[in-house]
């Protein structure tokens, strides 16, 4: 397997790998990663679909990419995935999956046209004082010390960031900035989370620094991601003859491990009815396993019942523990699943039933939520919320089954153990109705109207997720196993807890990237895996990010004014100076022709 960039590899169709007709593939889990790997096996590995079997504990595919309507509770989405232009493996996947809505189009075509016609951006990213625009003016408010913190982390080695918390490498100045508020609520980082993951995120998304304050860097699907992404994949795989075995909980995987060689030899499972089964594996029977789970043991409450925090047996984590006990090369799951208080938070899906609540949404979003177009443009954060409450309204309807007078809202809070500002109870103890009350309070609904409006104007489902940010807990090399461990002849690990150093976790891209890497290695597919977008090595993005982090303030050149002038004069006659002035790092001279010279040089 190798990495590549550019159109030459992107548009190439690989030859059929030798021996693929003799192989079968067994997948543990029907989430995005495994479904993507199955598609890559069929498309790029030219394996027949009827030789692929996907085992899934749940009744339906999709994993964390969920979206469902329960007859009595209402609509439920545990979370949403933010997407951007440079998810190279994700878009490589969806260019080949047919749209279910647009004849002759792929899912990528459909997504591309949608976001071209209706680009995403927020008109109000942060509120305070009960629904008032906080007027952050897109400023990061990073002091010189806070800016130095960022530079220091970016320049540090991975080893220097291992097993460290964010609040151990960033100062109070940084943690009190608007930048941190935008960042933590967009990505769900806590101060006790991994400094290494923070570093990787800074590198990965440096080209989107300017889009943080208004979320213009993001793109979203038309509907919830189950209907927009999972169902097209599922239908395509069924059409190819792939077998899905739902309600099959994999309880263990056996391995034959010797010096320099590791082979998966058996998958054991139990069905929902208690029937014990399994399959023996030869070297030609491939085994791809999604290890760990951010949504494991999630619990749904309802409008009158709190969600339960489940701390008992967790099948996905228990399976990884059994696997890890067989070899030190298979990772250390306890690092990620052993501290639920630091990996949990709670979300809620609010469905409004008339136009009373939507008028408050419209006031903040400054857009009609019933328009069918972008509404909030991403999350809106109530900065002064005790729960650090954020909420979003995507394009409506968010579910095809919605009624015309319904709006589906996603709400989440990072501080689930802190009493609320209106409800005076911790988020994790609240019913859907109480969460709605707290949200309405921060929308600016008159206090005397909140109880009745929460009771009759919406139906809300709270969702507690014990492991939702487990992959953000401080870690070191070896805690996550390699996608294809050294010596493996027929198995791979896929998903957020498998290690590929080329990307950062908690993205759809990461799951698909591990899937592509696993498939190409196990089948010997002779095609490059798309390299991660290299903005962290692009001087233009670095300069633009530097200027943006300074809120547009140019760098002060030290020394007397006449010396500064001489330096700027020197720079002014060079291409480097043109770059620095073009991206706002140093002040542009009134008589400079830097931009024209830069354009001429490029031409």
């Amino acid at each position: 397997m190798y990495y590549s960039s550019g159109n030459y590899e992107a548009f190439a169709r690989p030859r059929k790998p030798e021996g693929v007709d003799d192989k079968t593939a067994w997948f543990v889990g029907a989430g995005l990663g495994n479904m993507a790997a199955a598609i890559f096996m069929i498309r790029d590995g030219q394996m027949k679909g009827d030789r692929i079997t996907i085992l899934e504990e749940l009744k339906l595919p999709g994993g964390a990419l969920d979206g469902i309507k329960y007859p009595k509770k209402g609509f439920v989405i545990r979370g949403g995935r933010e997407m951007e232009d440079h998810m190279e493996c994700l878009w490589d996947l969806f260019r080949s999956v047919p749209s279910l809505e647009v004849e002759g189009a792929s899912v990528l075509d459909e997504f591309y046209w949608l976001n071209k016609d209706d680009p995403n951006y927020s008109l109000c990213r942060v509120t305070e004082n009960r629904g008032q625009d906080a007027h952050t003016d897109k400023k990061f408010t990073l002091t010189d010390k806070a800016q130095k913190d960022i530079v220091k982390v970016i320049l540090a080695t991975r080893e220097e960031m291992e097993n460290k918390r964010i609040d151990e490498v960033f100062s109070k100045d940084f943690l009190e900035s608007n930048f941190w508020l935008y960042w933590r609520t967009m990505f769900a980082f806590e101060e006790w989370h991994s400094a290494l993951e923070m570093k990787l995120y800074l590198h990965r998304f440096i080209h989107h620094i300017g889009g943080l304050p208004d979320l213009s860097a993001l793109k979203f699907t038309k509907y919830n991601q189950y209907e927009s992404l999972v169902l097209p994949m599922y239908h395509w795989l069924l059409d190819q003859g792939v077998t899905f075995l739902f309600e099959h909980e994999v309880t263990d995987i056996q391995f034959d491990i010797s010096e320099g060689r590791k082979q998966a030899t058996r998958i054991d499972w139990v069905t929902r009815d208690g029937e014990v089964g399994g399959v023996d594996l030869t070297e030609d029977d491939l085994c791809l396993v999604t290890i760990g789970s951010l949504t494991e043991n999630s619990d749904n409450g309802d409008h009158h019942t709190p969600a339960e925090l489940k701390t008992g047996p967790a099948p996905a984590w228990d399976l990884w523990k059994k696997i890890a006990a067989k070899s030190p090369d298979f990772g250390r799951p306890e690092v990620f699943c052993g501290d639920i208080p630091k990996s949990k938070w709670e979300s809620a899906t609010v469905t409004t039933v008339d136009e009373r609540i939507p008028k408050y949404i419209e006031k903040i979003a400054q857009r009609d939520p019933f328009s069918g177009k972008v509404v909030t443009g991403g999350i809106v954060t109530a900065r002064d919320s005790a729960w650090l409450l954020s909420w979003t309204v995507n394009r409506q309807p968010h579910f095809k089954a919605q009624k015309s007078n319904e709006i589906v809202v996603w709400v989440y809070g990072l501080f689930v153990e802190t009493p609320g500002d209106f409800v005076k109870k911790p988020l994790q103890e609240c019913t859907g109705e109480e969460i709605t009350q707290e949200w309405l309070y921060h929308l600016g609904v008159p206090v005397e109207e909140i109880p009745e409006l929460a009771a009759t104007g919406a139906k809300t489902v709270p969702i507690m997720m014990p492991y939702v940010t487990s992959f953000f807990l401080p870690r070191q090399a070896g805690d996550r196993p390699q996608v294809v461990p050294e010596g493996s002849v027929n198995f791979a690990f896929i998903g957020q807890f498998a290690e590929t150093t080329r990307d950062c976790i908690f993205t759809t891209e990461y799951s698909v990237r591990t899937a592509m890497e696993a498939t190409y290695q196990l089948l010997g597919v002779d095609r490059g895996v798309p390299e991660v977008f290299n903005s962290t090595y692009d001087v233009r993005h670095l300069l633009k990010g530097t200027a943006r982090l300074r809120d547009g303030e140019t760098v002060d050149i030290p020394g007397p004014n006449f010396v500064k002038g001489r330096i700027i004069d020197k720079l002014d006659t060079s291409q480097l100076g043109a770059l620095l002035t073009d991206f706002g790092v140093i002040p542009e001279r009134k008589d400079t022709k830097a931009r024209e010279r830069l354009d001429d040089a490029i031409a």
Side-chain angles (χ1 to χ4, degrees), residues 198-325:
M198 182 73 180
K199 171 183 170 62
L200 296 177
Y201 262 71
L202 286 168
H203 284 285
R204 177 64 172 84
F205 296 116
I206 204 161
H207 57 290
H208 284 324
I209 292 295
L212 276 177
D214 65 1
L215 301 171
S216 57
L218 303 181
K219 291 176 169 60
F220 294 96
T221 52
K222 183 177 181 180
Y223 303 111
N224 63 83
Q225 287 167 351
Y226 180 79
E227 290 184 283
S228 287
L229 300 180
V230 174
L231 282 182
M233 298 172 71
Y234 180 53
H235 282 285
W236 189 86
L237 288 169
L238 289 177
D239 288 343
Q240 305 305 310
V242 173
T243 299
F244 284 81
L245 297 179
F246 295 111
E247 298 186 290
H248 280 59
E249 178 188 329
V250 173
T251 55
D252 202 359
I253 300 175
Q254 306 299 332
F255 297 86
D256 179 14
I257 300 175
S258 57
E259 186 174 353
R261 188 180 187 279
K262 300 181 180 72
Q263 179 190 325
T265 57
R266 181 173 173 81
I267 302 173
D268 294 314
W269 65 67
V270 60
T271 68
R272 185 60 58 96
D273 296 330
E275 182 181 347
V276 176
V279 59
D280 293 322
L281 306 174
T282 70
E283 187 173 331
D284 282 332
D285 300 313
L286 308 181
C287 176
L288 292 88
V289 188
T290 297
I291 52 172
S293 171
L294 71 159
T295 54
E296 182 74 352
N297 278 359
S298 297
D299 184 70
N300 299 339
D302 59 37
H303 204 58
H304 304 294
T305 309
E308 179 186 349
L309 176 61
K310 294 183 177 181
T311 59
W317 292 103
D318 293 340
L319 174 62
W320 186 13
K321 289 177 183 178
K322 289 180 182 178
I323 292 172

Side-chain angles (χ1 to χ4, degrees), residues 103-151:
E103 183 72 27
S106 68
V107 172
L108 173 58
D109 294 333
E110 179 186 55
F111 183 88
Y112 175 80
W113 296 333
L114 172 70
N115 285 279
K116 280 286 187 178
D117 294 340
D118 185 27
N120 185 80
Y121 60 94
S122 168
L123 295 172
C124 181
R125 173 66 178 83
V126 183
T127 63
E128 60 187 4
N129 299 324
R130 305 194 56 234
Q132 300 300 309
D133 192 328
H135 295 296
T136 55
D137 300 323
K138 300 185 180 181
K139 300 291 186 182
F140 287 135
T141 65
L142 290 163
T143 65
D144 287 345
K145 180 175 178 55
Q147 292 173 44
K148 290 177 181 177
D149 288 344
I150 294 175
V151 172

Side-chain angles (χ1 to χ4, degrees), residues 416-558:
V416 299
E417 297 179 354
T418 306
D421 300 293
F422 179 81
V423 177
K424 309 301 182 185
K425 291 171 60 176
L427 173 56
Q428 65 184 17
E429 297 177 11
C430 287
T431 65
E433 183 175 346
E434 290 168 332
I435 293 172
T436 306
Q437 290 179 359
E438 187 76 8
W439 174 58
L440 295 178
Y441 177 82
H442 287 287
L443 284 187
V445 175
V447 172
E448 64 276 10
E449 298 178 16
I450 289 176
E452 194 278 333
L453 189 54
T456 64
K459 180 183 290 187
T460 299
V461 182
I463 309 103
M464 170 55 76
M465 295 169 284
Y467 305 103
V468 67
T469 49
S470 51
F471 37 54
F472 279 166
L473 295 181
R475 66 175 179 89
Q476 65 183 21
D479 290 342
R480 301 195 308 217
Q482 295 296 314
V483 172
V484 178
E486 186 174 354
S488 167
V489 296
N490 72 334
F491 69 92
F493 299 123
I494 287 178
Q496 304 295 316
F497 298 93
E499 180 66 52
T500 171
T501 58
R502 300 280 176 153
D503 217 331
C504 63
I505 43 85
F506 211 179
T507 65
T508 47
E509 171 71 0
Y510 195 91
S511 291
V512 177
R513 178 169 294 279
T514 60
M516 184 178 273
E517 291 186 1
T519 300
Y520 283 22
Q521 288 181 76
L522 292 180
L523 288 183
V525 174
D526 188 13
R527 177 178 183 260
V529 173
E531 181 60 275
V532 173
F533 184 57
N534 63 355
S535 57
T536 191
Y537 304 113
D538 189 322
V539 67
R540 296 165 299 177
H541 288 296
L542 292 171
L543 291 174
K544 187 183 295 185
T546 298
R548 191 63 190 83
L549 287 173
R550 295 176 61 81
D551 289 330
E553 181 182 342
T554 57
V555 173
D556 182 34
I557 300 174

Side-chain angles (χ1 to χ4, degrees), residues 578 581-583 588 592-601:
T581 54
D582 194 57
F583 290 104
E588 185 173 352
T592 187
K593 298 293 183 181
R595 186 180 301 274
E596 290 84 348
R597 284 195 304 277
L598 179 61
D599 291 340
D600 290 343

